[in-house]
Amino acid sequence: MESLLTINQVARRSGVPASALRYYEEKGLIASERAGSGHRRFRRPVLRRLAFIVFAQRLGMSRAEIAIELAKLPDDHVPKGNDWARLSEPWSERIDQRIAELERLKLGLAKCISCGCLSLELCKLVNPADRAGASG
C-alpha cells in the first residue's frame, strides 16, 4: 500500500506553502484524499506536479495555462519522465523568448538609467516595437 503524505510533508518537500497547496487543490491542479480525520493526504506523484507548477510559474505561465498543460497528462497511469518531457518540449521557444527579453533589459539598463528621457512612449528600450514612435 502506498504511503500518503500530509500537507506539511508535501509543503516541506516541495517548498510550496500549505496555503498554496490548498489553493492548487481548490483550482484542480493537484488532488488529495481525505483521511478519516478529514485531513488532506497526498500521493507521492503530487511532488512532480508541484515541481511542474513551480517551474511553469517561473516561466511566466498563468494558472489557467498550467491547468491546460496538466490536463494533457495521462489519466491511466502516474506520469513518467517521458510524459513530463512531452509536456515541456514546446516550452523551448518560450524560454528563448524570455532569455532574449532579459538580455535586452540587461543591455539597456545602463543606457536607460543614464538617458533620463523618462518617456515610456518614446523610449526604444522600454517600448521597442513602437512603430509610431520611430516616425516621430
Side-chain angles (χ1 to χ4, degrees):
M1 181 178 176
E2 178 185 7
S3 65
L4 300 174
L5 302 171
T6 66
I7 194 167
N8 289 330
Q9 289 172 319
V10 172
R12 190 171 48 253
R13 290 185 65 180
S14 68
V16 175
S19 59
L21 296 174
R22 287 188 284 277
Y23 174 78
Y24 294 156
E25 182 181 16
E26 177 187 319
K27 298 301 179 184
L29 300 178
I30 61 173
S32 71
E33 300 175 12
R34 298 295 176 154
S37 62
H39 295 147
R40 289 173 173 85
R41 296 291 186 259
F42 296 89
R43 295 188 180 276
R44 291 186 184 280
V46 77
L47 295 170
R48 290 218 176 176
R49 288 180 79 90
L50 289 168
F52 176 86
I53 292 167
V54 169
F55 183 81
Q57 287 174 330
R58 288 184 180 159
L59 188 56
M61 294 177 74
S62 69
R63 184 196 49 81
E65 289 174 308
I66 294 168
I68 289 168
E69 293 301 315
L70 287 173
K72 295 175 184 176
L73 289 173
D75 289 328
D76 60 341
H77 65 274
V78 174
K80 303 208 181 315
N82 60 339
D83 296 313
W84 293 109
R86 188 180 73 260
L87 192 65
S88 61
E89 187 177 315
W91 293 10
S92 184
E93 182 178 339
R94 192 171 187 158
I95 292 169
D96 289 341
Q97 289 171 349
R98 286 282 311 270
I99 290 170
E101 178 183 345
L102 291 171
E103 285 295 328
R104 267 196 323 274
L105 288 172
K106 180 180 173 183
L107 292 172
L109 183 61
K111 289 180 184 177
C112 193
I113 291 171
S114 66
C115 169
C117 77
L118 302 176
S119 173
L120 294 180
E121 291 83 22
L122 301 176
C123 180
K124 289 184 172 137
L125 297 171
V126 176
N127 194 3
D130 183 11
R131 294 185 302 270
S135 64

